[in-house]
Amino acid sequence: NAGVMQNPRHLVRRRGQEARLRCSPMKGHSHVYWYRQLPEEGLKFMVYLQKENIIDESGMPKERFSAEFPKEGPSILRIQQVVRGDSAAYFCASSPPLGQISGNTIYFGEGSWLTVV
Amino acid sequence: AQTVTQSQPEMSVQEAETVTLSCTYDTSESDYYLFWYKQPPSRQMILVIRQEAYKQQNATENRFSVNFQKAAKSFSLKISDSQLGDAAMYFCAYRSAGGRSNYQLIWGAGTKLIIKP
C-alpha cells in the first residue's frame, strides 16, 4: 500500500533553470495539495488540486510557479527561472474527497528538497 | 483567520521519561480537526495523532496521547516512555471541518524534541 510518492527527493538547479517536482497520490486519493517548507519554519499551503482542476492556488506565487494534476499521471509542481529564495522543501499531500470520513486526514509524501545554486 | 502557536522551540527529555509538547490555537469555528505531525531528521512528515473537535475523548495512539481542552483552545501532545526514535521536530496543525478552506492545514512553527540517552 504505497503512500504519497514524490520525486525527485533532492534536486539541484542553477539560477534561471526550471524545476519540476512530481507527486503521485495515495491509491484512491483524488485530491492533491502542495506545501512549501522554508528552513526552520512550518509548512505553508501553496495549491490544492483535483484531477484536471486547480481548486485553490492562493498560496502559490503568481509568477514562475504553476501546478497541474492531469487526468493521467502524477501531479507536477513547476518552478520556472528558479532563484535562490526558491530553495526549500516541497511537500505533496493527498486525501480522498473531504466529505468522506476518511478524507479528514491528509497524508504527506517524503518531500522534495530543491537547492538553487 | 486561524492561528496555531507552539511556544516551545525546543524540549529535551531523558529516554524512557514522559514529555509534553504544548500547542494553542485561535479560531472562531466550533468544528475542526487538530493534528500532530512528526518530522524526523529524514525530513519526512509523519502523522502522529489526530483529534476531532466534536469528540470529548482525548485521542490516543500507543505511547502518544493528547490533552484536548476545547474551551482553552489547547492541544498538547504527551509522549510516554520516550525513545531515541522519537527525536524529531513536532508540528501541531489545524484544519477547519467546513467552510471554503477546509482543506488547508494551518501549522505551528514546530518544537524540536531531543531525547537524551
Side-chain angles (χ1 to χ4, degrees), chain A residues 58-114:
Chain A
S58 61
M60 202 151 66
K62 302 243 183 297
E63 297 181 353
R64 302 189 298 107
F65 284 72
S66 62
E68 63 176 8
F69 188 19
K71 187 176 180 181
E72 300 291 338
S75 174
I76 306 286
L77 179 66
R78 181 182 178 203
I79 311 171
Q80 295 177 291
Q81 300 175 330
V82 295
V83 300
R84 287 233 172 99
D86 296 333
S87 296
Y90 292 85
F91 284 91
C92 174
S94 74
S95 76
L98 295 175
Q100 300 177 6
I101 292 176
S102 59
N104 293 339
T105 299
I106 295 170
Y107 293 91
F108 283 82
E110 295 185 336
S112 290
W113 274 264
L114 173 65

Side-chain angles (χ1 to χ4, degrees), chain A residues 35 37 56 104-106 113, chain B residues 37 43 50 95 103 105:
Chain A
Y35 284 78
Q37 184 181 31
D56 181 356
N104 293 339
T105 299
I106 295 170
W113 274 264
Chain B
Y37 283 88
R43 306 292 300 272
R50 179 186 86 194
R95 209 189 104 215
Y103 45 83
L105 283 164

Side-chain angles (χ1 to χ4, degrees), chain B:
Chain B
Q2 296 83 19
T3 58
V4 177
T5 302
Q6 293 179 250
S7 58
Q8 306 153 316
E10 187 175 296
M11 291 282 286
S12 63
V13 63
Q14 205 72 34
E15 190 178 4
E17 297 293 309
T18 295
V19 64
T20 298
L21 309 183
S22 64
C23 172
T24 58
Y25 57 95
D26 189 25
T27 184
S28 58
E29 299 174 330
S30 59
D31 200 11
Y32 48 85
Y33 306 101
L34 295 164
F35 305 87
W36 279 98
Y37 283 88
K38 165 186 175 181
Q39 189 176 39
S42 66
R43 306 292 300 272
Q44 183 180 0
M45 196 64 74
I46 302 166
L47 176 66
V48 175
I49 201 164
R50 179 186 86 194
Q51 175 81 42
E52 289 89 346
Y54 66 84
K55 290 186 177 178
Q56 292 187 337
Q57 187 173 8
N58 289 323
T60 299
E61 287 287 342
N62 300 315
R63 298 182 296 107
F64 299 87
S65 62
V66 298
N67 183 6
F68 173 48
Q69 301 289 329
K70 191 172 184 179
K73 296 178 183 174
S74 171
F75 182 61
S76 60
L77 175 69
K78 185 172 85 171
I79 306 174
S80 304
D81 185 24
S82 298
Q83 299 176 2
L84 294 177
D86 295 333
M89 283 290 289
Y90 285 81
F91 292 95
C92 178
Y94 169 104
R95 209 189 104 215
S96 299
R100 295 180 60 191
S101 299
N102 65 336
Y103 45 83
Q104 285 195 32
L105 283 164
I106 311 297
W107 297 78
T111 296
K112 183 178 181 179
L113 179 62
I114 298 168
I115 311 293
K116 298 176 184 176

Side-chain angles (χ1 to χ4, degrees), chain A:
Chain A
N1 183 18
V4 180
M5 304 300 292
Q6 288 188 248
N7 71 83
R9 290 295 309 278
H10 299 275
L11 182 63
V12 179
R13 284 288 178 267
R14 295 188 184 279
R15 280 178 295 172
Q17 291 185 320
E18 178 180 287
R20 282 193 180 218
L21 309 177
R22 296 173 190 78
C23 170
S24 296
M26 283 180 72
K27 187 176 180 180
H29 288 189
S30 56
H31 296 207
V32 166
Y33 317 82
W34 286 92
Y35 284 78
R36 177 164 65 175
Q37 184 181 31
L38 295 173
E40 309 301 326
E41 293 186 14
L43 278 66
K44 294 288 193 288
F45 169 80
M46 296 183 74
V47 61
Y48 164 38
L49 310 108
Q50 296 175 20
K51 285 283 187 181
E52 300 183 281
N53 280 308
I54 297 175
I55 306 302
D56 181 356
E57 56 182 350
S58 61
M60 202 151 66
K62 302 243 183 297
E63 297 181 353
R64 302 189 298 107
F65 284 72
S66 62
E68 63 176 8
F69 188 19
K71 187 176 180 181
E72 300 291 338
S75 174
I76 306 286
L77 179 66
R78 181 182 178 203
I79 311 171
Q80 295 177 291
Q81 300 175 330
V82 295
V83 300
R84 287 233 172 99
D86 296 333
S87 296
Y90 292 85
F91 284 91
C92 174
S94 74
S95 76
L98 295 175
Q100 300 177 6
I101 292 176
S102 59
N104 293 339
T105 299
I106 295 170
Y107 293 91
F108 283 82
E110 295 185 336
S112 290
W113 274 264
L114 173 65
T115 302
V116 180
V117 297

